[in-house]
Amino acid sequence: MRPAIVVRRGLSALTAVLLTATAAACGDPAPAGPVAASSSAPATGPDPAAARSDLAARAALAVDRRFVALYTFDQPGQPSRAVVATVALDGSWRVDIPGGALSGSTDVSIVQNNTGVYQCSLTSVANPVTPSCVRVADAGRRVPQAYDPKVERIFRQWLRVFTDRQSALSVTHGVALPGSQGGDCFSIDSISASMDAPVDIGIYCYAADGLLTAAKVDFGTLTIASQAAAAPSTVDFPGPIVTADPLGLDAPPPPPAPVIPSVLPSA
């Protein structure tokens, strides 16, 4: 039995269905069904050119893959969390990330459609806020670092780099990650030490149809926990779009203690 994953209120209705179906499997977030394995790439292999080509082909399938799937997200010293990724038929996408802002006290969604990328706050038992969404970037651009929970990047934003065989990446066929369910795994590193890596380096695993089954990067590990469900026609926003500052990663400092005037009589 795996450790119980943290489940929060405020996620989409389809997310709730996935969570319920997963929990029904003996209370364990194990997969509801197998993910198709690949027959095209070996688990390991010495040929970097072949691995780079295989990754590009798998990422090209991932670009067109439409799905809703539940994942567990693990970080050292933290409880497992339930992350839900949705890629809709119209190409819009949404990733629900519990504890993604304000030092883990606030749940957020990162949502993209053709008008831009948005950070949306989600209500939870511990933080019953009114959900709302703030535009943080143009469509196809990264969330600014000051309020980037990072998890969403693994699902969509690196696929263009993976499909570009001229990108500055070193790729080898990697050993399968636990829970990758037969997906082909690729160990990805940067070939340039003089600049920032073009992606989060680590291990990425994809099924034969392009579905991400697992990923291990420096800020945590994602593992698929349910069979992918059919995609909606478009993603829904958790709340209205407002003009406001996005939520930061760190909680704001506590307000200064009030100054209590002296009640002693003057001389």
Side-chain angles (χ1 to χ4, degrees), residues 111-257:
V111 183
Q112 177 179 293
N113 62 14
N114 58 7
T115 67
V117 181
Y118 299 82
Q119 180 207 67
C120 302
S121 59
L122 297 173
T123 189
S124 67
V125 175
N127 189 25
V129 299
T130 300
S132 61
C133 299
V134 179
R135 191 179 188 275
V136 295
D138 294 335
R141 307 294 293 181
R142 289 176 54 173
V143 177
Q145 184 176 356
Y147 27 87
D148 183 7
K150 300 180 181 179
V151 178
E152 81 287 347
R153 305 193 311 217
I154 296 176
F155 291 100
R156 302 303 295 170
Q157 295 181 326
W158 297 155
L159 293 178
R160 290 181 299 174
V161 183
F162 292 165
T163 56
D164 180 5
R165 304 188 189 193
Q166 303 304 314
S167 57
L169 296 178
S170 169
V171 182
T172 58
H173 288 113
V175 176
L177 291 175
S180 60
Q181 301 187 37
D184 290 327
C185 297
F186 302 88
S187 180
I188 298 171
D189 202 347
S190 173
I191 61 175
S192 176
S194 61
M195 62 181 67
D196 292 337
V199 300
D200 292 303
I201 62 174
I203 300 173
Y204 294 74
C205 305
Y206 293 95
D209 60 1
L211 180 68
L212 179 79
T213 59
K216 183 176 183 179
V217 293
D218 62 353
F219 57 82
T221 301
L222 276 166
T223 307
I224 196 165
S226 72
Q227 191 169 10
S233 58
T234 190
V235 296
D236 61 313
F237 281 74
I241 298 172
V242 300
T243 301
D245 293 329
L247 300 175
L249 299 180
D250 299 326

Side-chain angles (χ1 to χ4, degrees), residues 10-38:
L11 305 181
S12 67
L14 189 50
T15 296
V17 171
L18 285 171
L19 290 171
T20 302
T22 303
C26 303
D28 186 78
V35 175
S38 167

